[in-house]
Amino acid sequence: MEVLAGQKHKHLEFTLVAVSELSSSSVPPSSTPVIARFSVDSGVAELRFRQDSGFIDGFNVNLGTAQLFKLGPLKSLCISGSSDSNKEKSYARGVTILFRNEEESRDFHSAFEQWQNEDVTQGTHLPNGAISDVKSKFDNKIESSSAKMYFHYYGQLLHQQNMLQDYVRTGTYYAAVIENRADFTGKVVVDVGAGSGILALFAAQAGAKHVYAVEASEMAEYARKLIAGNPSLGQRITVIKGKVEEVELPEKADILISEPMGTLLVNERMLESYIIARDRFLVPKGKMFPSVGRIHMAPFSDEYLFVEIANKALFWQQQNYYGVDLTALHGSAFQGYFSQPVVDAFDPRLLVSPPMSHVIDFNEAKEEDLYEIDIPLKFLASVGTRVHGLACWFDVLFNGSTVQRWLTTAPGAPTTHWYQIRCVLSQPIYVMAGQEITGRLHMVAHNAQSYTIYVTLSAKMWGPGAEQGGIIQSSSCKLDLKEPYYRMSQPQPYTTAQDQQPHQLLQPQDIPIHTDDLEEPKLLQQPLENSGAQLQ
């Protein structure tokens, strides 16, 4: 890998095994390696390929319109529009790339993404709030129709009101800011995805020197009105309409504040924008509110929920529906209903074992870390029962200098607009008390601003000789976090089945806290210890 830089040009080169058109199985005729060259000239980033000291005709890639996909450990596919300015019409093309080893493949993918960013910003000095006309990183990875619906949704006051009236959410943010005035007084703050501007106003109340409220939806206009209606605070707040991936600010921030959490913490993929804002706007060692997120998981047993979902497909078991036999579609409908994550509030006594957690440190995480999240699961069943799936919730930490405060969405805690989420297996598994449950939660981001979820739960052999045994039951499911089943019911009165022992009551404060993933274990107080909207 070679890098050259000058005042007007710079480039980065990789040595490849081969490169070929997707429509052709042939490789340029030569035994010598192929050189992939990233370069920027006149503000346009390109990827070109050369061999035998000459560039291969027709193989240049405009990074502003390109996407790179991994086909295997050593093979990738690059799709782009034509970069030939002489063409009257652009067209899509595919180029397959073969690498020498996995390390060079990873480096190439990382460089590809960095140089796409270069294409956006090269040679451009945008004034405060101005937006580049070039396609941004957000636009490259998010489907335009999804982004349009997303910004339309958050551009409506009724949805902002729904979030503002979540008093656990709003009150915890207020307390976290006001109780940590030392972090805000005299500081420059950026509110990432400001919405109505309420967090920017909280920061101003805490004594911020200036707040830049960045909001991409039409809600930016409402935020300006709300802030103008509070002139004593508003004179220190500037609303900027645009995406954090695109706008430029006149100064760096001492602290970022945002509410980037979606269902299961990561839905809507705004956490990636929060991390991008950190890298673009935050001074070294600056603070982030929130600074840490945790996804909690535990197997659950809920016969009522399972039957409720399964019964939805009974419609398709009709053999004479206006003379039509619908049963051919019953299996597809059954699996379709079980592909929807269930969003509701449930009784924590439905949990079959104590939960485990996966930590995301927003101060250290890379954007790429959120593209794919793979969590090994291991639980010990506390009761003998049927396991119907995996229950998940999250909490976030506001690591203030004065007070460390948690916002939790745990079952049994005051309900938030996030509720909890459950991934239900179409084939439950049976466990005995003391039996080990293993599995995996695998989440893969997609361009509709959400994730495809893969869940596997397995029961290991139980009893004498279990160490020599293996898996005796296993069940898996695939779900789309973008298409949940909003059940929204409050926890039902818990009844104990006659053939099983009562489930152990797991309070939110029973959630185990893993301090190995954080530099300052002392910050990890119990989630509910400082939660709530009221101030003393």
Side-chain angles (χ1 to χ4, degrees):
M1 186 170 61
E2 178 188 10
V3 182
L4 297 177
Q7 291 182 340
K8 296 183 179 179
H9 306 276
K10 64 178 180 179
H11 71 254
L12 172 67
E13 293 187 347
F14 286 82
T15 301
L16 311 173
V17 174
V19 62
S20 63
E21 289 260 27
L22 182 62
S23 58
S24 171
S25 60
S26 63
V27 175
S30 175
S31 60
T32 59
V34 177
I35 303 299
R37 175 174 173 148
F38 294 89
S39 61
V40 174
D41 192 6
S42 302
V44 178
E46 280 192 332
L47 171 62
R48 304 185 69 186
F49 303 90
R50 63 182 175 86
Q51 192 172 42
D52 295 327
S53 302
F55 285 102
I56 304 172
D57 290 337
F59 273 56
N60 17 335
V61 173
N62 185 335
L63 293 177
T65 61
Q67 289 182 289
L68 186 64
F69 304 93
K70 183 167 287 196
L71 301 180
L74 303 180
K75 191 175 183 180
S76 294
L77 170 65
C78 182
I79 302 289
S80 78
S82 169
S83 61
D84 188 346
S85 59
N86 295 324
K87 300 284 184 182
E88 293 183 359
K89 296 181 179 180
S90 62
Y91 57 92
R93 63 179 311 160
V95 176
T96 56
I97 303 169
L98 188 62
F99 300 96
R100 296 184 296 186
N101 53 60
E102 292 188 33
E103 182 179 0
E104 290 184 0
S105 173
R106 288 193 298 269
D107 290 344
F108 185 90
H109 276 256
S110 178
F112 188 94
E113 183 172 317
Q114 292 173 8
W115 282 70
Q116 279 193 317
N117 292 340
E118 190 74 20
D119 183 49
V120 174
T121 59
Q122 175 69 21
T124 305
H125 300 280
L126 301 177
N128 180 25
I131 304 172
S132 168
D133 291 331
V134 184
K135 198 172 184 182
S136 74
K137 187 174 187 179
F138 178 91
D139 296 325
N140 278 325
K141 69 182 181 181
I142 300 300
E143 190 178 75
S144 60
S145 59
S146 174
K148 183 177 180 180
M149 289 295 295
Y150 175 75
F151 292 125
H152 173 73
Y153 179 91
Y154 285 107
Q156 300 181 63
L157 281 174
L158 66 109
H159 296 303
Q160 295 292 329
Q161 179 178 334
N162 178 53
M163 292 185 290
L164 290 173
Q165 288 181 318
D166 180 346
Y167 298 115
V168 175
R169 164 198 179 270
T170 306
T172 304
Y173 267 90
Y174 179 76
V177 173
I178 298 303
E179 291 174 342
N180 290 288
R181 289 179 181 270
D183 294 322
F184 289 86
T185 301
K187 301 296 178 61
V188 175
V189 180
V190 172
D191 181 357
V192 180
S196 64
I198 191 69
L199 300 185
L201 288 162
F202 289 171
Q205 286 185 53
K209 174 185 175 183
H210 201 86
V211 184
Y212 296 96
V214 182
E215 172 58 40
S217 78
E218 294 304 315
M219 186 53 56
E221 299 304 323
Y222 291 111
R224 289 191 177 107
K225 288 184 179 180
L226 181 62
I227 289 166
N230 294 267
S232 61
L233 302 173
Q235 61 185 354
R236 289 180 281 125
I237 302 175
T238 300
V239 177
I240 297 172
K241 188 175 187 297
K243 305 182 185 78
V244 295
E245 294 85 353
E246 300 171 359
V247 302
E248 293 290 334
L249 302 181
E251 56 186 327
K252 291 287 188 179
D254 302 297
I255 185 167
L256 294 187
I257 189 168
S258 182
E259 196 265 78
M261 301 88 73
T263 309
L264 194 56
L265 183 61
V266 296
N267 188 38
E268 298 179 343
R269 298 184 64 180
M270 191 183 164
L271 279 177
E272 295 166 36
S273 296
Y274 188 39
I275 288 172
I276 289 171
R278 176 201 70 192
D279 294 340
R280 296 194 66 208
F281 305 137
L282 192 62
V283 300
K285 304 299 182 182
K287 279 192 167 290
M288 300 179 73
F289 270 50
S291 58
V292 172
R294 299 185 304 182
I295 300 173
H296 300 276
M297 303 142 286
F300 73 91
S301 179
D302 191 342
E303 200 72 42
Y304 297 112
L305 175 62
F306 177 80
V307 171
E308 176 185 328
I309 296 174
N311 282 349
K312 289 184 176 184
L314 290 178
F315 171 83
W316 298 97
Q317 286 190 331
Q318 298 180 78
Q319 296 179 338
N320 187 6
Y321 182 76
Y322 293 95
V324 177
D325 186 348
L326 301 181
T327 56
L329 295 179
H330 174 261
S332 299
F334 184 85
Q335 292 301 325
Y337 284 120
F338 279 96
S339 72
Q340 292 183 283
V342 176
V343 176
D344 69 348
F346 65 86
D347 192 315
R349 287 175 291 184
L350 296 175
L351 299 179
V352 173
S353 76
M356 59 172 291
S357 61
H358 174 76
V359 177
I360 302 175
D361 186 344
F362 304 141
N363 294 287
E364 302 294 336
K366 298 178 182 177
E367 179 194 355
E368 295 79 10
D369 296 340
L370 299 175
Y371 291 174
E372 187 172 357
I373 302 171
D374 195 17
I375 308 172
L377 304 175
K378 186 176 181 180
F379 308 100
L380 199 64
S382 55
V383 293
T385 186
R386 279 217 306 178
V387 173
H388 293 103
L390 188 71
C392 305
W393 61 94
F394 71 88
D395 51 30
V396 293
L397 170 67
F398 299 94
N399 179 20
S401 299
T402 307
V403 175
Q404 290 79 46
R405 181 174 285 273
W406 286 95
L407 169 59
T408 183
T409 65
T415 304
T416 70
H417 77 283
W418 290 286
Y419 295 87
Q420 294 98 41
I421 190 168
R422 286 186 282 175
C423 303
V424 186
L425 299 169
S426 61
Q427 296 293 327
I429 63 174
Y430 292 84
V431 298
M432 300 294 290
Q435 192 169 8
E436 186 175 279
I437 304 170
T438 61
R440 189 166 299 275
L441 172 62
H442 187 199
M443 298 186 287
V444 181
H446 58 64
N447 62 4
Q449 290 176 273
S450 194
Y451 285 77
T452 303
I453 303 175
Y454 302 88
V455 174
T456 299
L457 290 178
S458 303
K460 297 189 70 175
M461 186 175 288
W462 178 80
E467 293 78 9
Q468 287 74 42
I471 301 298
I472 57 175
Q473 294 181 74
S474 188
S475 185
S476 300
C477 58
K478 175 184 177 182
L479 312 100
D480 188 351
L481 189 56
K482 179 81 170 182
E483 301 292 340
Y485 164 36
Y486 287 103
R487 194 165 177 238
M488 297 304 195
S489 60
Q490 293 298 314
Q492 299 299 314
Y494 180 76
T495 56
T496 303
Q498 294 181 357
D499 60 347
Q500 66 181 41
Q501 299 176 4
H503 292 49
Q504 177 184 356
L505 178 60
L506 297 173
Q507 298 291 348
Q509 55 263 33
D510 294 330
I511 296 170
I513 298 169
H514 303 287
T515 60
D516 295 342
D517 297 305
L518 296 173
E519 294 181 359
E520 299 184 63
K522 66 179 181 179
L523 299 182
L524 292 177
Q525 301 173 5
Q526 297 296 339
L528 290 184
E529 186 174 337
N530 290 316
S531 294
Q534 295 183 352
L535 297 176
Q536 298 298 327

